[in-house]
Amino acid sequence: MGIDQDFKGRARRLVAQMTLAEKTAQLKHDAPAIKRLGIPAYNWWNECLHGVARSGAATVFPQPIGMAASFDEALLHDVAEAVSDEARAKYNEYKTMGETLIYQGLTFWSPNINIFRDPRWGRGHETFGEDPYLTGVMGTAFIKGLQGEGVHRKLDATIKHYAVHSGPELERHSFDARVNEQDLYETYLWAFKYCIDHADPSAVMGAYNRVNGEPCCGSKRLLGDILYGEFGFDGYVVSDCGAVCDMNRHHQVTQNEAESAALALNNGCQLNCGDAYLWLTAAVASGLVSEETVTKAVEKLFTARFRLGMFDDCEYDRIPYSVVECEQHTKLNRKMARDSIVLLKNNGILPLKGERSIAVIGPNSDDKSVLLGNYYGTPSRYTTFLKGIKDQANAEVFYARGCHICEEKAKPWEEQPFNEAILAARRSDVVVLIMGLNPSMEGEEGDAYNGDAGGDRIDIELPVSQKKLFEAVMGCGKPVIFVNVSGSCVNLSRQNESCDAVLQCFYPGAEGGNALADILFGNVSPSARLPVTFYKTLKDMPDFKDYSMENRTYRYYHGQPVYPFGHGLTYADIQEKWIDSRTVKIENRGGTDTFYSVLRFEPGAGRMVKTLTGFQKLFIRSGETLTVSFPEEAV
């Protein structure tokens, strides 16, 4: 194409023509046009956590915690490529209107690579789980799939939230996360460094909170010393939305917005989501920040825009809008959804076969919201669990909601679904009981209904309304397959003891109902594994606000969970025989062909019990034996 690939040089020459006021305006996420220089307005804010979000029709893939359960980095890379195709297709159409508004650009604030250190954190389902290595590898695959390998960047990926960020949501604008050096590097920063080393992400988003006294978006230690210094990061940093204003309004480490803006920019936060950088011109006049620092920051941002091909004939300009929710992406979505469902227990009842009647009971059976998670697009086609089962069942299907997701008693004039559930159970040969949480019960500050906790969870128990329904259904004496739908750990002790089968279905995307039915009726063998520990209790864990990793996650936990990290069954009889620390023979002794994830753990040192150092997803046929080798340095 004859494209000038000196993106930094082009940015430097363009920025040299700007006035100070023009430059400071370009450091806000909603950057205005500079018509005299031919620069259109551009809004940097866009989201693609598990598909293009908040921008109309899109393929909605499983929530990241579910995609992590696949333990399949190649599949995740394919998903990210599909997402980037849809994102480019939308941008190509939006820019014909002259400018791009919020959720229409090429700079995406995903993925979330924070460590899901505690199941109470409401946003944990946005992450790839509790393990730094799994998070780093899956994050790398996602970033590479988004950014592409062309002359230009296909999209800009932004790893967030840097750093030491996982609740409490209610206090995130003022909270100071105190963390020791070992936990800082061993847990909280590990995936950030891994992704920077292996995927070259375009951007990093700073978190709201402080870390050891310094606000993340203005931290000399986190940004200057570690991110740019030790990690060698060469991209740009964007603040979480409103985080710079938090420095004076809530953290109270500065006196006003001008001081906050200067603190953030001086320490390497080039892009402000929010209003604080409106005061940058005043900060320059007051000597709080130099114009040279402003110039360097703007150059970084325009380097990114040039690298994205915004001012060129770009190789991605011809991706057509027809890729959005295309058949290929729908098939890929169903594949990823199937690979995100974890079989936790099976006494042989699954896969279902020969049943004349099935009762589908529970508040999550026919709920669209549990397919979508959060930060989602709008699927024009979706399949709830009930619909997926009804479409595939060669049996009569009875349905009853049974109870409200969390309220114990229905109002007198409302539907009274409890008894209907008992009637459905009595009439059936087998019950599929679909319970758990929904995204209104665990989420970001302001998104979830439990405002007193800001979106975080108080405990890991099923709501009382569901516990009552569960016991009533169990009392009917029918075989029960329990499907827990949630983005995080739920105490499933009772279900593990009494149900014939237990499955964990994370928020599975638009194809979730078809995927669950594929598993239940044996169209495919389940192959997912838990990316988080499923605890019995929180009593032996530290306080939620305590950022020590002591007795948290499988790497440090000394208790006995209901289901450990990495647990997951298939319909095959798989045997592992480790020859040495790097080589294992996998034998499928029969039952069915299946995908299977081999996990390599190494003993921990000091406080650490053990740690994941490698994983490989493979397909193994019935009767087949495969040898799997891990490299000397898997980490």
PDB file of all heavy atoms in Angstrom, residues 312-333:
ATOM      1  N   ASP A 312      -4.982   6.175   7.143  1.00  0.00           N
ATOM      2  CA  ASP A 312      -4.433   5.460   5.995  1.00  0.00           C
ATOM      3  C   ASP A 312      -5.508   4.642   5.291  1.00  0.00           C
ATOM      4  O   ASP A 312      -6.599   4.444   5.815  1.00  0.00           O
ATOM      5  CB  ASP A 312      -3.321   4.489   6.441  1.00  0.00           C
ATOM      6  CG  ASP A 312      -2.118   5.196   7.035  1.00  0.00           C
ATOM      7  OD1 ASP A 312      -1.813   6.311   6.588  1.00  0.00           O
ATOM      8  OD2 ASP A 312      -1.491   4.613   7.949  1.00  0.00           O
ATOM      9  N   ASP A 313      -5.153   4.152   4.120  1.00  0.00           N
ATOM     10  CA  ASP A 313      -5.923   3.085   3.485  1.00  0.00           C
ATOM     11  C   ASP A 313      -5.488   1.799   4.185  1.00  0.00           C
ATOM     12  O   ASP A 313      -4.405   1.283   3.931  1.00  0.00           O
ATOM     13  CB  ASP A 313      -5.619   3.034   1.984  1.00  0.00           C
ATOM     14  CG  ASP A 313      -6.356   1.898   1.283  1.00  0.00           C
ATOM     15  OD1 ASP A 313      -7.328   1.377   1.863  1.00  0.00           O
ATOM     16  OD2 ASP A 313      -5.947   1.529   0.164  1.00  0.00           O
ATOM     17  N   CYS A 314      -6.336   1.290   5.095  1.00  0.00           N
ATOM     18  CA  CYS A 314      -5.951   0.207   6.005  1.00  0.00           C
ATOM     19  C   CYS A 314      -6.429  -1.143   5.484  1.00  0.00           C
ATOM     20  O   CYS A 314      -7.490  -1.250   4.865  1.00  0.00           O
ATOM     21  CB  CYS A 314      -6.542   0.497   7.381  1.00  0.00           C
ATOM     22  SG  CYS A 314      -6.288  -0.792   8.595  1.00  0.00           S
ATOM     23  N   GLU A 315      -5.651  -2.178   5.738  1.00  0.00           N
ATOM     24  CA  GLU A 315      -6.001  -3.517   5.259  1.00  0.00           C
ATOM     25  C   GLU A 315      -7.271  -4.065   5.877  1.00  0.00           C
ATOM     26  O   GLU A 315      -7.847  -5.035   5.378  1.00  0.00           O
ATOM     27  CB  GLU A 315      -4.845  -4.499   5.517  1.00  0.00           C
ATOM     28  CG  GLU A 315      -4.475  -4.732   6.974  1.00  0.00           C
ATOM     29  CD  GLU A 315      -3.383  -3.818   7.485  1.00  0.00           C
ATOM     30  OE1 GLU A 315      -3.409  -2.611   7.159  1.00  0.00           O
ATOM     31  OE2 GLU A 315      -2.497  -4.304   8.212  1.00  0.00           O
ATOM     32  N   TYR A 316      -7.741  -3.434   6.965  1.00  0.00           N
ATOM     33  CA  TYR A 316      -8.970  -3.910   7.606  1.00  0.00           C
ATOM     34  C   TYR A 316     -10.205  -3.101   7.193  1.00  0.00           C
ATOM     35  O   TYR A 316     -11.302  -3.376   7.666  1.00  0.00           O
ATOM     36  CB  TYR A 316      -8.814  -3.849   9.129  1.00  0.00           C
ATOM     37  CG  TYR A 316      -7.630  -4.631   9.647  1.00  0.00           C
ATOM     38  CD1 TYR A 316      -6.563  -3.973  10.276  1.00  0.00           C
ATOM     39  CD2 TYR A 316      -7.558  -6.006   9.491  1.00  0.00           C
ATOM     40  CE1 TYR A 316      -5.472  -4.686  10.754  1.00  0.00           C
ATOM     41  CE2 TYR A 316      -6.465  -6.730   9.965  1.00  0.00           C
ATOM     42  CZ  TYR A 316      -5.427  -6.047  10.592  1.00  0.00           C
ATOM     43  OH  TYR A 316      -4.350  -6.760  11.059  1.00  0.00           O
ATOM     44  N   ASP A 317     -10.009  -2.131   6.305  1.00  0.00           N
ATOM     45  CA  ASP A 317     -11.125  -1.265   5.913  1.00  0.00           C
ATOM     46  C   ASP A 317     -12.209  -2.009   5.145  1.00  0.00           C
ATOM     47  O   ASP A 317     -13.349  -1.532   5.062  1.00  0.00           O
ATOM     48  CB  ASP A 317     -10.625  -0.108   5.045  1.00  0.00           C
ATOM     49  CG  ASP A 317      -9.860   0.939   5.840  1.00  0.00           C
ATOM     50  OD1 ASP A 317      -9.921   0.889   7.088  1.00  0.00           O
ATOM     51  OD2 ASP A 317      -9.201   1.793   5.219  1.00  0.00           O
ATOM     52  N   ARG A 318     -11.853  -3.150   4.578  1.00  0.00           N
ATOM     53  CA  ARG A 318     -12.817  -3.843   3.730  1.00  0.00           C
ATOM     54  C   ARG A 318     -13.528  -5.001   4.429  1.00  0.00           C
ATOM     55  O   ARG A 318     -14.204  -5.792   3.785  1.00  0.00           O
ATOM     56  CB  ARG A 318     -12.107  -4.335   2.461  1.00  0.00           C
ATOM     57  CG  ARG A 318     -11.844  -3.183   1.483  1.00  0.00           C
ATOM     58  CD  ARG A 318     -10.765  -3.477   0.474  1.00  0.00           C
ATOM     59  NE  ARG A 318      -9.433  -3.493   1.064  1.00  0.00           N
ATOM     60  CZ  ARG A 318      -8.744  -2.396   1.368  1.00  0.00           C
ATOM     61  NH1 ARG A 318      -9.254  -1.209   1.176  1.00  0.00           N
ATOM     62  NH2 ARG A 318      -7.537  -2.490   1.886  1.00  0.00           N
ATOM     63  N   ILE A 319     -13.368  -5.110   5.747  1.00  0.00           N
ATOM     64  CA  ILE A 319     -14.145  -6.124   6.479  1.00  0.00           C
ATOM     65  C   ILE A 319     -15.613  -5.705   6.442  1.00  0.00           C
ATOM     66  O   ILE A 319     -15.969  -4.631   6.912  1.00  0.00           O
ATOM     67  CB  ILE A 319     -13.654  -6.262   7.927  1.00  0.00           C
ATOM     68  CG1 ILE A 319     -12.205  -6.779   7.947  1.00  0.00           C
ATOM     69  CG2 ILE A 319     -14.565  -7.205   8.718  1.00  0.00           C
ATOM     70  CD1 ILE A 319     -11.609  -6.886   9.337  1.00  0.00           C
ATOM     71  N   PRO A 320     -16.494  -6.535   5.889  1.00  0.00           N
ATOM     72  CA  PRO A 320     -17.879  -6.119   5.674  1.00  0.00           C
ATOM     73  C   PRO A 320     -18.738  -6.280   6.920  1.00  0.00           C
ATOM     74  O   PRO A 320     -18.445  -7.094   7.808  1.00  0.00           O
ATOM     75  CB  PRO A 320     -18.358  -7.070   4.574  1.00  0.00           C
ATOM     76  CG  PRO A 320     -17.575  -8.324   4.836  1.00  0.00           C
ATOM     77  CD  PRO A 320     -16.221  -7.871   5.328  1.00  0.00           C
ATOM     78  N   TYR A 321     -19.819  -5.526   6.973  1.00  0.00           N
ATOM     79  CA  TYR A 321     -20.732  -5.598   8.111  1.00  0.00           C
ATOM     80  C   TYR A 321     -21.395  -6.967   8.219  1.00  0.00           C
ATOM     81  O   TYR A 321     -21.880  -7.349   9.283  1.00  0.00           O
ATOM     82  CB  TYR A 321     -21.799  -4.509   7.999  1.00  0.00           C
ATOM     83  CG  TYR A 321     -22.443  -4.174   9.324  1.00  0.00           C
ATOM     84  CD1 TYR A 321     -21.854  -3.258  10.184  1.00  0.00           C
ATOM     85  CD2 TYR A 321     -23.623  -4.784   9.730  1.00  0.00           C
ATOM     86  CE1 TYR A 321     -22.422  -2.953  11.412  1.00  0.00           C
ATOM     87  CE2 TYR A 321     -24.202  -4.483  10.957  1.00  0.00           C
ATOM     88  CZ  TYR A 321     -23.590  -3.568  11.791  1.00  0.00           C
ATOM     89  OH  TYR A 321     -24.151  -3.283  13.002  1.00  0.00           O
ATOM     90  N   SER A 322     -21.384  -7.727   7.146  1.00  0.00           N
ATOM     91  CA  SER A 322     -22.025  -9.045   7.150  1.00  0.00           C
ATOM     92  C   SER A 322     -21.358 -10.038   8.095  1.00  0.00           C
ATOM     93  O   SER A 322     -21.929 -11.093   8.391  1.00  0.00           O
ATOM     94  CB  SER A 322     -22.049  -9.634   5.731  1.00  0.00           C
ATOM     95  OG  SER A 322     -20.735  -9.729   5.207  1.00  0.00           O
ATOM     96  N   VAL A 323     -20.165  -9.707   8.604  1.00  0.00           N
ATOM     97  CA  VAL A 323     -19.516 -10.631   9.547  1.00  0.00           C
ATOM     98  C   VAL A 323     -20.202 -10.599  10.910  1.00  0.00           C
ATOM     99  O   VAL A 323     -20.047 -11.529  11.709  1.00  0.00           O
ATOM    100  CB  VAL A 323     -18.009 -10.333   9.726  1.00  0.00           C
ATOM    101  CG1 VAL A 323     -17.277 -10.386   8.403  1.00  0.00           C
ATOM    102  CG2 VAL A 323     -17.774  -8.992  10.426  1.00  0.00           C
ATOM    103  N   VAL A 324     -20.955  -9.539  11.204  1.00  0.00           N
ATOM    104  CA  VAL A 324     -21.584  -9.404  12.512  1.00  0.00           C
ATOM    105  C   VAL A 324     -22.650 -10.485  12.670  1.00  0.00           C
ATOM    106  O   VAL A 324     -23.574 -10.587  11.872  1.00  0.00           O
ATOM    107  CB  VAL A 324     -22.209  -8.005  12.685  1.00  0.00           C
ATOM    108  CG1 VAL A 324     -22.940  -7.907  14.017  1.00  0.00           C
ATOM    109  CG2 VAL A 324     -21.130  -6.930  12.581  1.00  0.00           C
ATOM    110  N   GLU A 325     -22.477 -11.316  13.698  1.00  0.00           N
ATOM    111  CA  GLU A 325     -23.387 -12.433  13.976  1.00  0.00           C
ATOM    112  C   GLU A 325     -23.528 -13.377  12.783  1.00  0.00           C
ATOM    113  O   GLU A 325     -24.588 -13.951  12.545  1.00  0.00           O
ATOM    114  CB  GLU A 325     -24.771 -11.931  14.391  1.00  0.00           C
ATOM    115  CG  GLU A 325     -24.870 -11.428  15.810  1.00  0.00           C
ATOM    116  CD  GLU A 325     -26.301 -11.283  16.264  1.00  0.00           C
ATOM    117  OE1 GLU A 325     -27.043 -10.501  15.631  1.00  0.00           O
ATOM    118  OE2 GLU A 325     -26.704 -11.932  17.243  1.00  0.00           O
ATOM    119  N   CYS A 326     -22.461 -13.534  12.030  1.00  0.00           N
ATOM    120  CA  CYS A 326     -22.505 -14.444  10.877  1.00  0.00           C
ATOM    121  C   CYS A 326     -22.560 -15.897  11.350  1.00  0.00           C
ATOM    122  O   CYS A 326     -22.321 -16.209  12.523  1.00  0.00           O
ATOM    123  CB  CYS A 326     -21.304 -14.228   9.973  1.00  0.00           C
ATOM    124  SG  CYS A 326     -19.706 -14.639  10.731  1.00  0.00           S
ATOM    125  N   GLU A 327     -22.853 -16.800  10.440  1.00  0.00           N
ATOM    126  CA  GLU A 327     -23.006 -18.213  10.797  1.00  0.00           C
ATOM    127  C   GLU A 327     -21.721 -18.786  11.379  1.00  0.00           C
ATOM    128  O   GLU A 327     -21.757 -19.560  12.343  1.00  0.00           O
ATOM    129  CB  GLU A 327     -23.422 -19.011   9.559  1.00  0.00           C
ATOM    130  CG  GLU A 327     -23.659 -20.485   9.832  1.00  0.00           C
ATOM    131  CD  GLU A 327     -24.088 -21.263   8.598  1.00  0.00           C
ATOM    132  OE1 GLU A 327     -24.283 -20.631   7.539  1.00  0.00           O
ATOM    133  OE2 GLU A 327     -24.230 -22.504   8.692  1.00  0.00           O
ATOM    134  N   GLN A 328     -20.581 -18.390  10.825  1.00  0.00           N
ATOM    135  CA  GLN A 328     -19.304 -18.894  11.336  1.00  0.00           C
ATOM    136  C   GLN A 328     -19.092 -18.484  12.780  1.00  0.00           C
ATOM    137  O   GLN A 328     -18.633 -19.288  13.607  1.00  0.00           O
ATOM    138  CB  GLN A 328     -18.166 -18.366  10.463  1.00  0.00           C
ATOM    139  CG  GLN A 328     -16.778 -18.834  10.903  1.00  0.00           C
ATOM    140  CD  GLN A 328     -15.680 -18.237  10.050  1.00  0.00           C
ATOM    141  OE1 GLN A 328     -15.941 -17.560   9.051  1.00  0.00           O
ATOM    142  NE2 GLN A 328     -14.437 -18.469  10.440  1.00  0.00           N
ATOM    143  N   HIS A 329     -19.421 -17.242  13.117  1.00  0.00           N
ATOM    144  CA  HIS A 329     -19.245 -16.765  14.488  1.00  0.00           C
ATOM    145  C   HIS A 329     -20.232 -17.428  15.440  1.00  0.00           C
ATOM    146  O   HIS A 329     -19.905 -17.700  16.598  1.00  0.00           O
ATOM    147  CB  HIS A 329     -19.395 -15.246  14.544  1.00  0.00           C
ATOM    148  CG  HIS A 329     -18.290 -14.512  13.867  1.00  0.00           C
ATOM    149  ND1 HIS A 329     -18.239 -13.134  13.784  1.00  0.00           N
ATOM    150  CD2 HIS A 329     -17.171 -14.962  13.231  1.00  0.00           C
ATOM    151  CE1 HIS A 329     -17.143 -12.770  13.135  1.00  0.00           C
ATOM    152  NE2 HIS A 329     -16.485 -13.861  12.780  1.00  0.00           N
ATOM    153  N   THR A 330     -21.438 -17.716  14.955  1.00  0.00           N
ATOM    154  CA  THR A 330     -22.425 -18.400  15.790  1.00  0.00           C
ATOM    155  C   THR A 330     -21.966 -19.812  16.118  1.00  0.00           C
ATOM    156  O   THR A 330     -22.105 -20.283  17.258  1.00  0.00           O
ATOM    157  CB  THR A 330     -23.789 -18.436  15.074  1.00  0.00           C
ATOM    158  OG1 THR A 330     -24.234 -17.083  14.854  1.00  0.00           O
ATOM    159  CG2 THR A 330     -24.826 -19.159  15.915  1.00  0.00           C
ATOM    160  N   LYS A 331     -21.398 -20.505  15.136  1.00  0.00           N
ATOM    161  CA  LYS A 331     -20.865 -21.853  15.380  1.00  0.00           C
ATOM    162  C   LYS A 331     -19.706 -21.809  16.368  1.00  0.00           C
ATOM    163  O   LYS A 331     -19.599 -22.664  17.261  1.00  0.00           O
ATOM    164  CB  LYS A 331     -20.423 -22.485  14.068  1.00  0.00           C
ATOM    165  CG  LYS A 331     -21.555 -22.878  13.145  1.00  0.00           C
ATOM    166  CD  LYS A 331     -21.028 -23.504  11.859  1.00  0.00           C
ATOM    167  CE  LYS A 331     -22.158 -23.942  10.938  1.00  0.00           C
ATOM    168  NZ  LYS A 331     -21.642 -24.502   9.654  1.00  0.00           N
ATOM    169  N   LEU A 332     -18.834 -20.822  16.197  1.00  0.00           N
ATOM    170  CA  LEU A 332     -17.708 -20.668  17.123  1.00  0.00           C
ATOM    171  C   LEU A 332     -18.214 -20.371  18.527  1.00  0.00           C
ATOM    172  O   LEU A 332     -17.685 -20.897  19.520  1.00  0.00           O
ATOM    173  CB  LEU A 332     -16.806 -19.531  16.636  1.00  0.00           C
ATOM    174  CG  LEU A 332     -15.606 -19.177  17.509  1.00  0.00           C
ATOM    175  CD1 LEU A 332     -14.627 -20.345  17.604  1.00  0.00           C
ATOM    176  CD2 LEU A 332     -14.901 -17.927  16.961  1.00  0.00           C
ATOM    177  N   ASN A 333     -19.254 -19.557  18.622  1.00  0.00           N
ATOM    178  CA  ASN A 333     -19.841 -19.212  19.914  1.00  0.00           C
ATOM    179  C   ASN A 333     -20.386 -20.448  20.609  1.00  0.00           C
ATOM    180  O   ASN A 333     -20.184 -20.646  21.815  1.00  0.00           O
ATOM    181  CB  ASN A 333     -20.957 -18.184  19.706  1.00  0.00           C
ATOM    182  CG  ASN A 333     -21.383 -17.505  20.990  1.00  0.00           C
ATOM    183  OD1 ASN A 333     -20.736 -17.622  22.020  1.00  0.00           O
ATOM    184  ND2 ASN A 333     -22.490 -16.797  20.930  1.00  0.00           N
TER     185      ASN A 333
END
